[in-house]
Amino acid sequence: MAKTPIKNQCPYVKECGACHIGQKSYEDELIEKKKWVEENIGAYCNKVHDIIGMYYPYHYRNKVHAVFGRINDEVVAGTYAKGTHNIIPISACMIEDVQASAIIKTVTELIKSFKLWVYNEDTQRGLMRHILIRKGMSTKQIMVVLVTASPEFPHKNNFVEKLLEIHPEITTIVQNVNMKQTTMVLGERNRPLYGPGYIEDVLCGLRFRISPGSFYQVNSEQTQVLYKKVIEAAGLTGKETIIDAYCGIGTIGMCMSQKSGRVIGIELNPKAVKDAKANARRNGICDIHFIAADAAAYMSLMAESGQKVDIIVLDPPRSGCTKEFMEAAVAMAPKKIIYVSCNPETLGRDLAWFSKAGYIAQEAWPIDMFSFTEHVETVVLIQRKDT
Ligand code: SAH
């Protein structure tokens, strides 16, 4: 197979550090990622399949963020240079959605023409801090989140009107107020300035609502590949009771619920749980329940009360899962555990633990969701040894 030509058109790659585009072919990157997964989990997993790469590895990010700042008295939007808080102005990114880049450019121009102050981290003065754009790749709905340092937003109606005039494709605009001195982009308060304050996207035939602060996979196309792999690995008969731990807005559990029995989704972020409940209603799914709780703590309670489940799907953050989580998981005696991991190192550590607890990792499928970055996702089918 011919290699993807190494596109070296990104002028920011060295300072930006968010990706390594132009340094190696995508095919070589995939080979390295598979090797990385094998090195970390090979000792605990019977078979590591070939990595499933992206068909078109550019402009896949459906979530785009930029920080506002001033350079030589000019308003700019961009990203912090690697390891610093110096802003590199970026007008186009090869892994981000193209429409999002265009909207960021327009908003930067509007900030200038409306003479709005850009927030300064050192003095903690100014208004406009960040912009976050989320796009439903399937629905084409676009949400623009303007993060401000104060609830006051001078000329906001005219600003919104002008932005919509230039970008009628935007379906909602939200003001997020972040008054804290923090590296977190979003503050607590969201105020819709136009539209419903959220977007929807379709994954595996289901419709999901996504709010500004909820987790949603950034690469929609590969997410469907990943979810289908999870469903395939589960081998559902229609009767299983499933836990979807670290469920976000409930996407995996809902996709599985169509072919299984009862599903329980557990998620720490209450805003994501609110989205998850709304998503279940939106799709007419009844046999699914969402709980806003720490997954380990809630599952420990379930285990203590003697509850058993058939399948546990878990999709934890990079740190992997805790001993408390794994102990609770095995105490519920699931026949299958399907581990979706974004970090081969913590995955290897956790598979080693499961192998000592009577569970064996049968198959793993590395899936690339983030081309030109150091990240790789892996789905692992873990089975109870006596099944
Ligand atoms: N499965 C979802 C989300 C995965 S991201 C999807 O595919 O979209 C991981 C999620 O775990 C995030 O939504 C995060 O808020 C949640 N999370 C982090 N720590 C948690 C914990 N201790 N208990 C439950 N959920 C947690």
Side-chain angles (χ1 to χ4, degrees):
M1 187 181 149
K3 283 190 180 178
T4 317
I6 301 176
K7 288 200 186 181
N8 204 359
Q9 300 147 343
C10 177
Y12 316 108
V13 66
K14 280 209 181 88
E15 312 150 272
C16 162
C19 80
H20 54 243
I21 207 158
Q23 290 167 17
K24 59 185 116 166
S25 75
Y26 183 50
E27 287 73 11
D28 286 343
E29 176 184 321
L30 290 177
I31 292 168
E32 281 175 24
K33 283 181 171 173
K34 180 180 175 196
K35 207 166 139 223
W36 183 36
V37 172
E38 262 175 341
E39 278 165 6
N40 280 283
I41 72 167
Y44 316 106
C45 183
N46 287 342
K47 181 159 178 63
V48 179
H49 290 272
D50 272 347
I51 185 163
I52 306 171
M54 293 160 60
Y55 178 69
Y56 180 70
Y58 305 100
H59 301 295
Y60 57 89
R61 282 193 65 95
N62 60 26
K63 178 181 170 187
V64 176
H65 158 248
V67 57
F68 294 119
R70 272 187 179 275
I71 298 180
N72 300 332
D73 230 26
E74 266 294 301
V75 178
V76 295
T79 186
Y80 290 124
K82 214 176 191 172
T84 75
H85 268 208
N86 304 330
I87 297 172
I88 316 163
I90 290 185
S91 56
C93 165
M94 291 185 67
I95 61 171
E96 291 175 353
D97 179 69
V98 177
Q99 269 180 313
S101 300
I103 293 169
I104 293 173
K105 208 163 158 213
T106 303
V107 170
T108 313
E109 292 300 322
L110 290 178
I111 290 175
K112 281 184 220 167
S113 60
F114 279 79
K115 297 191 170 51
L116 295 174
W117 275 26
V118 164
Y119 183 74
N120 178 317
E121 275 199 321
D122 299 323
T123 61
Q124 292 173 51
R125 296 183 66 186
L127 179 70
M128 307 303 284
R129 294 184 76 152
H130 304 267
I131 179 166
L132 178 75
I133 296 182
R134 303 186 89 163
K135 178 171 166 186
M137 289 303 200
S138 175
T139 58
K140 308 293 176 221
Q141 295 181 10
I142 296 178
M143 168 161 59
V144 176
V145 184
L146 300 166
V147 185
T148 60
S150 118
E152 268 65 65
F153 188 157
H155 321 294
K156 71 172 187 304
N157 293 344
N158 290 344
F159 191 98
V160 165
E161 201 176 303
K162 200 75 203 157
L163 179 56
L164 289 168
E165 202 179 295
I166 304 169
H167 292 284
E169 68 275 22
I170 296 171
T171 52
T172 189
I173 302 173
V174 178
Q175 179 188 1
N176 174 276
V177 184
N178 187 353
M179 295 167 79
K180 290 196 185 140
Q181 199 186 1
T182 165
T183 52
M184 302 283 281
V185 173
L186 295 181
E188 284 295 308
R189 250 191 298 166
N190 288 312
R191 179 158 61 149
L193 302 178
Y194 170 77
Y198 59 82
I199 52 162
E200 292 174 311
D201 200 13
V202 175
L203 279 181
C204 302
L206 297 175
R207 211 169 174 86
F208 295 102
R209 157 180 137 170
I210 307 147
S211 296
S214 296
F215 179 89
Y216 186 65
Q217 301 281 359
V218 299
N219 181 339
S220 310
E221 203 163 314
Q222 287 299 89
T223 298
Q224 302 193 68
V225 172
L226 186 139
Y227 288 1
K228 282 180 187 155
K229 195 50 83 183
V230 171
I231 294 169
E232 192 185 306
L236 300 170
T237 63
K239 294 199 181 94
E240 295 81 359
T241 299
I242 300 176
I243 287 181
D244 177 12
Y246 309 91
C247 70
I249 57 168
T251 39
I252 298 183
M254 272 183 253
C255 292
M256 295 182 87
S257 72
Q258 296 179 306
K259 294 181 177 153
S260 69
R262 191 163 64 102
V263 178
I264 303 153
I266 312 170
E267 162 63 45
L268 197 57
N269 176 355
K271 287 193 177 126
V273 171
K274 197 171 162 210
D275 278 353
K277 288 179 176 170
N279 285 331
R281 282 195 298 274
R282 188 175 252 95
N283 291 292
I285 300 172
C286 306
D287 214 4
I288 193 160
H289 303 276
F290 291 101
I291 286 119
D294 170 72
Y298 190 79
M299 283 167 55
S300 299
L301 288 177
M302 286 179 77
E304 272 166 33
S305 65
Q307 294 188 56
K308 304 279 180 227
V309 296
D310 300 303
I311 297 174
I312 295 176
V313 177
L314 66 140
D315 185 6
R318 294 183 60 73
S319 52
C321 42
T322 57
K323 203 162 156 269
E324 185 193 5
F325 178 95
M326 293 186 283
E327 280 169 354
V330 301
M332 282 187 276
K335 287 190 197 71
K336 289 180 181 173
I337 297 173
I338 299 167
Y339 196 142
V340 180
S341 160
C342 56
N343 182 351
E345 282 148 27
T346 51
L347 176 63
R349 178 201 67 197
D350 295 345
L351 292 185
W353 190 93
F354 279 119
S355 73
K356 288 190 193 127
Y359 280 81
I360 186 147
Q362 298 288 12
E363 290 181 82
W365 297 268
I367 298 173
D368 188 35
M369 313 262 283
F370 315 101
S371 61
F372 308 115
T373 75
E374 308 303 323
H375 300 281
V376 63
E377 212 67 23
T378 311
V379 175
V380 186
L381 168 63
I382 308 166
Q383 266 176 318
R384 212 173 67 206
K385 279 185 187 152
D386 61 4
T387 55

